[in-house]
């Protein structure tokens, strides 16, 4: 199951649900270009701009009024916005020099094949006996610390812009060791970029790479929270990233870490005074996933508690968004989970009531032909509920 980027307008899929795939975020730190270097600007007048700046700047003394060509480049860059020179954009994504050819994400634990010298993520290339690029037999795999350091600097460069302390609104001094240096934080944009890379790695089963990128996102948002306070936007983002990190841990078989991340996701999302549909869905999914992990551990009472919390969240959401059929489907899924645990605990009457309530909801739900995916999901959940109810009724009759 592939988590969805929490910085776009979509929610993470539940066990029985799925959301429409959203296009990946554009290179988040490529808002516009810079013209700090006149000579490089002349050579790159038609190319993508440096992604490390929010807006086009003309601080270089060589850019004067008698250089209209350079100034035109600056204006064009500011108007169209910069693009990542390595190709990390949603519309023009290409495998860049810092990408692994196997997982197509940023290199993580860079490893070089001997003797062919092709470079991949350690986890990716460890699955092969010969190089997937050239076919040469792999005699051994060596760590490439220098290239990994470059990747790490690339990530950090997209997160921080180094600027000098300004004495006035119109004056910006050159940075020197004696001057105070401030950093303009772009961690939210970097978060979208790293989520994109984490999802690429996750889909390719490079779990450690995905976890590493997501952990950086969590650290960035925590830093924002410390400085800006518990805003709804930051809590929502942190809750979503923690939930996605929990998915990675669960996929890696680390149930205890997954539960920890899901619980922390629930904590932050529960703090929000007003919850959007995306936040509500993410909150209920995190609760359900904790319930799933407890269920697999054999702790049915704890599983029921989390499933019931998720049901309450979804029922409340359905009252406020009664026109949304997906909300009704979510309620039916939660009813099925609670009823299934009730059956496991020996509460057959409660289980039957839960299955019947879920069936009534789904039978009363009318979907138009424009939502074939929702209708398919409705039929799937309805079939499960009817099957469970039939089993209970058969067992009652035989006894």
């Amino acid at each position: 199951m592939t988590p969805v980027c929490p910085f776009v307008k979509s929610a993470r899929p539940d066990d029985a649900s799925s959301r429409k795939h959203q296009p990946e975020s554009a290179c988040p730190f490529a808002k516009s270009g810079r013209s700090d270097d006149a000579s490089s600007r002349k050579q790159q007048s038609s190319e993508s701009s440096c992604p490390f700046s929010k807006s086009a700047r003309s601080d270089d003394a060589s850019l004067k009024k008698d250089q209209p060509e350079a100034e035109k480049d600056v204006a064009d860059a500011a108007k169209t916005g910069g693009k990542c020179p390595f190709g990390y954009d949603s519309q023009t994504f290409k495998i860049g020099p810092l990408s692994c050819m196997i997982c197509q994400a940023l290199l993580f634990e860079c490893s070089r094949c001997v003797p062919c010298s092709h470079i991949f993520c350690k986890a990716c290339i460890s699955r092969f006996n010969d190089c997937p690029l050239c076919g040469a037999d792999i005699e051994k795999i060596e760590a490439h610390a220098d290239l990994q350091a470059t990747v790490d600097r690339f990530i950090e460069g997209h997160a921080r812009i180094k600027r000098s302390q300004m004495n006035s609104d119109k004056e910006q001094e050159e940075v020197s060791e004696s001057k105070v240096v401030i950093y303009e934080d772009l961690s939210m944009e970097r978060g979208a970029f790293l989520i994109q890379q984490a999802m690429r790695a996750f889909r390719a089963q490079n779990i450690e790479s995905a976890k590493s990128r997501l952990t950086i996102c969590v650290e960035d948002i925590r830093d924002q929270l410390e400085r800006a306070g518990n805003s709804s936007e930051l809590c929502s983002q942190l809750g979503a990233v923690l939930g996605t990190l929990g998915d990675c841990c669960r996929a890696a078989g680390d149930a205890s870490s997954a539960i920890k991340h899901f619980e922390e996701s629930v904590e932050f999302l529960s703090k929000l005074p007003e919850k959007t549909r995306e936040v509500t869905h993410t909150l209920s999914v995190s609760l359900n996933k904790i319930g799933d992990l407890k269920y697999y551990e054999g702790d049915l009472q704890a599983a029921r508690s989390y499933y019931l919390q998720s049901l309450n969240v979804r029922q409340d959401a359905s009252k406020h968004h009664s026109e949304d059929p997906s909300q009704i489907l979510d309620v039916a899924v939660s009813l099925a989970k609670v009823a299934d645990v009730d059956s496991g605990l020996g509460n057959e009457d409660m289980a039957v009531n839960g299955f019947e309530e879920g069936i009534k909801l789904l039978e009363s739900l009318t979907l138009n032909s424009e939502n074939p995916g929702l209708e398919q999901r409705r039929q799937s959940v309805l079939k499960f509920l009817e099957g469970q109810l039939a089993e209970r009724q058969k067992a009652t009759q035989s006894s």
Side-chain angles (χ1 to χ4, degrees):
M1 183 177 309
T2 305
V4 180
C5 173
F7 295 108
V8 298
K9 289 285 185 179
S10 64
R12 293 186 292 118
D14 201 348
D15 296 328
S17 64
S18 61
R19 297 292 186 235
K20 292 182 179 179
H21 178 68
Q22 298 287 338
E24 296 176 64
S25 303
C27 182
F29 26 72
K31 289 191 175 180
S32 58
R34 291 175 61 184
S35 63
D36 300 0
D37 190 320
S39 61
S40 64
R41 176 55 67 186
K42 287 182 180 179
Q43 296 173 0
Q44 301 175 353
S45 59
S46 62
E47 297 179 2
S48 300
S49 306
C50 174
F52 303 149
S53 173
K54 269 190 171 179
S55 58
R57 294 169 55 197
S58 169
D59 348 14
D60 196 293
S62 62
L63 294 180
K64 301 296 183 182
K65 291 183 179 180
D66 59 354
Q67 293 180 305
E69 182 180 348
E71 291 180 354
K72 183 177 182 299
D73 291 338
V74 174
D76 291 342
K79 184 182 297 184
T80 61
K83 293 182 178 180
C84 179
F86 288 149
Y88 296 103
D89 299 277
S90 62
Q91 302 301 321
T92 59
F93 178 81
K94 296 178 181 179
I95 302 299
L98 302 182
S99 297
C100 171
M101 293 298 292
I102 298 175
C103 70
Q104 300 187 4
L106 282 177
L107 286 161
F108 178 72
E109 295 183 338
C110 299
S111 298
R112 176 168 46 202
C113 298
V114 177
C116 68
S117 295
H118 286 128
I119 298 171
F120 309 92
C121 298
K122 181 179 178 180
C124 293
I125 194 57
S126 295
R127 307 166 194 164
F128 293 84
N129 294 321
D130 49 32
C131 177
L133 281 180
C134 68
D137 291 339
I138 300 175
E139 296 179 4
K140 65 176 180 177
I141 298 173
E142 297 178 336
H144 198 321
D146 290 342
L147 182 56
Q148 186 59 55
T150 300
V151 175
D152 295 340
R153 287 196 300 272
F154 174 73
I155 295 173
E156 180 62 18
H158 280 63
R160 303 284 188 265
I161 299 176
K162 194 172 186 178
R163 294 182 176 176
S164 64
Q165 186 71 38
M166 297 173 62
N167 293 334
S168 68
D169 293 338
K170 297 182 179 180
E171 180 184 2
Q172 182 168 351
E173 301 176 354
E174 294 182 359
V175 178
S176 67
E177 294 182 356
S178 62
K179 291 185 174 65
V180 177
V181 176
I182 61 173
Y183 292 90
E184 181 168 352
D185 198 330
L186 300 179
S187 58
M188 292 302 99
E189 287 80 4
R190 177 168 80 158
F193 169 71
L194 288 175
I195 286 288
Q196 179 193 75
Q197 298 302 309
M199 293 305 99
R200 291 183 183 277
F202 187 88
R203 285 191 291 269
Q205 299 181 357
N206 190 348
I207 304 300
E208 291 304 315
S209 175
K211 286 169 59 178
S212 173
R213 308 312 180 203
L214 293 169
T215 299
I216 295 174
C217 294
V218 169
E219 292 172 353
D220 281 349
I221 302 174
R222 288 191 192 283
D223 182 60
Q224 288 273 331
L225 284 168
E226 289 181 3
R227 292 186 285 108
N230 289 339
S231 71
S232 295
E233 180 182 4
L234 291 174
C235 288
S236 174
Q237 290 176 351
L238 182 57
V241 176
L242 285 167
T244 309
L245 190 54
D247 287 334
C248 287
C249 293
R250 186 170 70 163
D254 187 355
S256 60
S257 294
I259 290 175
K260 176 183 176 183
H261 292 310
F262 287 136
E263 287 179 339
E264 200 166 4
S265 171
V266 169
E267 177 186 352
F268 276 94
L269 293 174
S270 298
K271 290 180 180 179
L272 302 180
E274 297 183 5
K275 297 178 177 61
T276 63
R277 297 185 189 186
E278 290 78 13
V279 168
T280 298
H281 186 75
T282 304
L283 173 59
S284 61
V285 166
S286 289
L287 288 165
N288 265 340
K289 288 182 176 178
I290 299 173
D292 290 342
L293 290 167
K294 294 293 185 181
Y295 185 93
Y296 298 141
E297 290 176 353
D299 190 349
L300 297 186
Q301 288 289 357
R304 188 184 191 281
S305 173
Y306 284 106
Y307 287 152
L308 188 59
Q309 290 179 61
S310 177
L311 174 60
N312 292 335
V313 169
R314 287 176 164 175
Q315 286 178 328
D316 184 63
S318 67
K319 295 176 182 177
H320 294 86
H321 304 286
S322 57
E323 77 288 352
D324 186 355
S326 66
Q327 299 288 346
I328 305 301
L329 284 169
D330 286 342
V331 172
V333 170
S334 287
L335 283 168
K337 286 180 174 288
V338 174
D340 185 54
V341 175
D342 281 334
S343 179
L345 291 170
N347 303 323
E348 289 298 333
D349 290 341
M350 296 176 65
V352 169
N353 290 337
F355 291 132
E356 289 178 340
E357 185 178 354
I359 290 172
K360 290 179 181 179
L361 275 178
L362 295 178
E363 287 179 340
S364 64
L365 184 60
T366 303
L367 298 175
N368 57 47
S369 58
E370 296 178 358
N371 293 308
L374 285 178
E375 175 58 25
Q376 183 179 4
R377 181 184 168 211
R378 186 186 78 89
Q379 291 292 342
S380 176
V381 177
L382 182 59
K383 182 178 180 180
F384 171 80
L385 289 169
E386 289 175 340
Q388 292 295 314
L389 183 60
E391 286 184 14
R392 270 68 187 177
Q393 292 174 340
K394 183 178 180 180
T396 302
Q397 292 173 358
S398 61
S399 61

